[in-house]
């Protein structure tokens, strides 16, 4: 009997879609749903034979590839817990995650063998290594790894696994913008509804009510190809891949290790991609620049949807996308590793970073003080609170009850997740999101959200990318400071930038200091590295007049 376990749902989809339906296109690798299912079964049998059991944690330490998704499905099939590993982690970060996640096995790119070798002695419970070929020649014997295809040889393609549960776990590690990574514990059913809308995105009947509803969602749906531009180890790409898989659609991935906008458009044209999703301006700006520099180069008539999630999608960039693609659906989506998808404002500018609608499970929470318990913000009062979600939410952070208690709280008898984004709610239930409260700049008693200033700065034609941070100020305690990357051949002075920004934001929000660097520090997903930006600003090496 099927449950809301993701492996159960996937197998129902595999048995429903046409035998030749492609599930994944990644570089030269193309696999149908049945091929991925068979290979995942083989890997699942191998891992189980090696002692990996229900509840064991398995690291996925690879660039985008078909094996990433196969390994994930294999884990789900035997009720093991896949754990994403950031391929940019250095020794200290990698050791922390391996230990914090209590990994029992790791499926990894061959090139990462030396990095694993440096830390494996300090992780005694991590004993099984399965290496995916990636063109490198690292010595597998140094960590006792078996080659991926060799592991599959001779293993059964049958689904003779024990029954699964819908509260089996998936753990998504998120680095955020500060501190060591945190493992978000998602029960399968909660994740299915929170991050994937219960497979209701593409069907008139909406989200599934029982697991077997997934059959009609895959059978009746019109077929499309979706491309997520973030790495699979990032939640934004993982959500997109699962939404496509459970709808019976094809997910197209970027197999290149670096983000090259022209290559992305080449893939979108070649594969006739229908929907593309990216992470904020860090990906959106070079995509638009490539289009503007190569007018008419690509035939993109198959594309009918473009959207951003996981980082700021500035109003100025949204306007450019609308001008370039007047007939496509453009979305500015809110969400995180802890919340799944929190809604979309469809673009269009306005106050803050965007607006979503209040619901039974979506609200603004004013955090508790010594005198007042946590409560909901009063609609129409201009009272600021934290964008929050209830209902289908994670259990908390793995092995970290302190952070869990701060993020998952009780409000009026119900458990709510605090996203960290400050927001307010209007009289009609519209929730306007402003940005991370932890990054908020207090300058002379006024609160300034960096994301709002960044939007204003990025609307200047000379600016390619920017991050805004607080730096010390004798008069106002803190001042708004911008670190910017300019477009090639451009120059920019602080007074010119301030004059431009006055058209978009209040005077007290203007940047009081400008630092110009060759590149802006961001994670592979496109998320901002505010710690890096503050170090640059405090160092004064790149201060502009």
């Amino acid at each position: 009997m099927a449950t809301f376990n993701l492996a159960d749902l996937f197998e129902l989809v595999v048995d429903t879609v046409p035998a030749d339906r492609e599930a994944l296109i990644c570089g030269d690798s193309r696999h149908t749903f049945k091929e991925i299912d068979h290979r995942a079964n083989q890997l699942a049998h191998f891992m189980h034979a090696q002692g990996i059991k229900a509840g064991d944690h398995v690291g996925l330490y690879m660039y985008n590839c078909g094996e990433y998704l196969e390994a994930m499905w294999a884990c789900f099939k035997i009720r093991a817990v896949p754990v994403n590993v950031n391929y940019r982690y250095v020794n200290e970060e990698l050791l922390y995650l391996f230990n914090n996640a209590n990994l029992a096995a790791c499926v990894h790119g061959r090139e990462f063998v030396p990095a694993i070798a440096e830390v494996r002695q300090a992780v005694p419970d991590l004993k099984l290594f399965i290496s995916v070929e990636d063109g490198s020649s690292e010595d597998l014997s140094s960590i006792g790894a078996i080659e991926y295809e060799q592991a599959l040889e001779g293993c059964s393609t049958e689904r003779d696994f024990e029954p699964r549960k819908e509260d089996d776990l998936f753990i998504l590690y998120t680095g955020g913008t500060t501190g060591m990574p945190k493992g978000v514990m998602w029960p399968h059913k909660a994740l299915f509804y929170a991050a994937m809308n219960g497979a209701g995105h593409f069907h008139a009947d909406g989200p599934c009510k029982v697991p077997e509803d997934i059959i009609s969602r895959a059978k009746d749906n019109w077929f499309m190809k979706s491309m997520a531009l973030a790495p699979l180890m990032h939640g934004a790409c993982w959500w997109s891949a699962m939404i496509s898989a459970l709808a019976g659609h094809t997910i197209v991935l970027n197999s290149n290790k670096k983000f090259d906008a022209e290559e992305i458009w080449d893939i979108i044209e070649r594969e006739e991609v229908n929907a593309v999703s990216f992470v904020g301006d860090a990906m959106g700006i070079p995509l638009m620049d490539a289009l503007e520099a190569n007018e008419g180069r690509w035939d993109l008539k198959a594309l009918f949807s473009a959207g951003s999630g996981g980082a700021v999608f500035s109003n100025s960039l949204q306007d450019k996308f609308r001008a370039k693609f007047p007939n496509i659906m453009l979305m500015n989506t809110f969400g995180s590793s802890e919340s799944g998808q929190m809604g979309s404002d469809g673009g269009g500018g306005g106050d803050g970073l965007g607006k979503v609608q209040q619901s039974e499970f979506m609200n603004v929470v004013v955090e508790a003080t010594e005198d007042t318990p946590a409560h909901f913000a009063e609609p129409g009062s201009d009272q600021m609170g934290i964008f929050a979600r209830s209902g289908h939410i994670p259990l908390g952070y793995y092995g970290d009850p302190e952070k869990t208690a701060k993020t998952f709280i009780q409000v009026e008898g119900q458990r709510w997740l605090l996203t960290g984004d400050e927001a307010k709610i209007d009289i009609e239930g519209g929730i306007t999101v402003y940005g991370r409260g932890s990054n908020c700049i207090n300058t002379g008693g006024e609160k300034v959200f960096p994301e709002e200033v960044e939007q204003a700065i990025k609307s200047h034609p000379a600016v390619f990318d920017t991050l805004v941070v607080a730096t010390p100020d004798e008069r106002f305690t803190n001042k708004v400071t911008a670190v910017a990357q300019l477009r090639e051949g451009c120059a920019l002075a602080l007074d010119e930038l301030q004059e431009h920004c006055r058209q978009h934001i209040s005077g007290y929000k203007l940047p009081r200091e400008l630092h110009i660097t060759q590149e802006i520090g961001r994670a592979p997903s496109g998320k901002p590295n505010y710690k890096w930006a503050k170090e640059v600003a405090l160092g004064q090496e790149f201060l502009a007049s």
Side-chain angles (χ1 to χ4, degrees), residues 458-478:
K458 281 190 279 192
S459 67
H460 192 289
V463 176
F464 180 78
D465 197 5
T466 186
L467 291 176
V468 169
V469 295
T471 55
D473 183 83
E474 288 186 10
R475 181 180 177 186
F476 298 111
T477 306
N478 293 296

Side-chain angles (χ1 to χ4, degrees), residues 417-438:
L417 157 74
L418 302 178
T419 66
D421 287 317
E422 293 211 24
K424 65 181 180 181
I425 183 167
D426 63 31
I427 196 67
E428 297 176 342
I431 299 173
T432 300
V433 183
Y434 289 91
R436 287 276 143 166
S438 58

Side-chain angles (χ1 to χ4, degrees), residues 97 233 260 264 302 318 335 527:
L97 188 144
M233 57 92 172
D260 185 303
I264 296 296
Q318 290 181 50
K527 286 191 173 183

Side-chain angles (χ1 to χ4, degrees), residues 485-512:
Q485 175 186 348
L486 302 184
R487 297 184 181 278
E488 188 174 352
C490 291
L492 184 63
L494 176 61
D495 57 354
E496 179 188 347
L497 178 62
Q498 289 174 330
E499 189 61 32
H500 172 83
C501 289
R502 285 184 193 278
Q503 303 170 43
H504 304 277
I505 53 177
S506 301
Y508 70 88
K509 300 177 182 178
L510 295 176
R512 304 298 173 181

Side-chain angles (χ1 to χ4, degrees), residues 332-464:
N332 180 25
T333 303
F334 295 90
S336 68
S337 301
E338 293 89 344
S339 68
Q341 296 188 22
M342 296 277 281
S344 171
D345 72 349
D351 195 20
L353 305 179
K355 182 183 287 188
V356 298
Q357 191 62 34
Q358 179 192 26
S359 71
E360 179 184 357
F361 305 112
M362 217 77 68
N363 214 322
V364 177
V365 170
V366 179
E367 294 184 88
T369 65
E370 290 185 3
D371 303 319
T372 309
H375 58 284
F376 298 118
E378 184 68 26
S381 67
D382 261 0
Q383 186 179 30
M384 296 292 288
I386 303 297
F387 193 22
R389 179 183 196 139
S390 66
H392 294 295
I393 58 177
L395 300 180
Y397 297 116
Y398 182 72
D400 199 332
E402 184 177 339
K403 287 178 182 174
T404 297
K406 291 180 180 179
T407 305
F408 299 85
I409 67 170
Q410 291 288 323
V411 184
E412 298 184 5
Q414 190 172 7
R415 190 167 180 264
W416 286 79
L417 157 74
L418 302 178
T419 66
D421 287 317
E422 293 211 24
K424 65 181 180 181
I425 183 167
D426 63 31
I427 196 67
E428 297 176 342
I431 299 173
T432 300
V433 183
Y434 289 91
R436 287 276 143 166
S438 58
N439 295 327
C440 191
I441 301 169
N442 189 322
T443 176
E446 297 281 7
K447 294 177 71 174
V448 178
F449 292 95
E451 296 92 339
E452 186 180 10
V453 184
E454 289 163 7
Q455 287 208 62
I457 294 173
K458 281 190 279 192
S459 67
H460 192 289
V463 176
F464 180 78

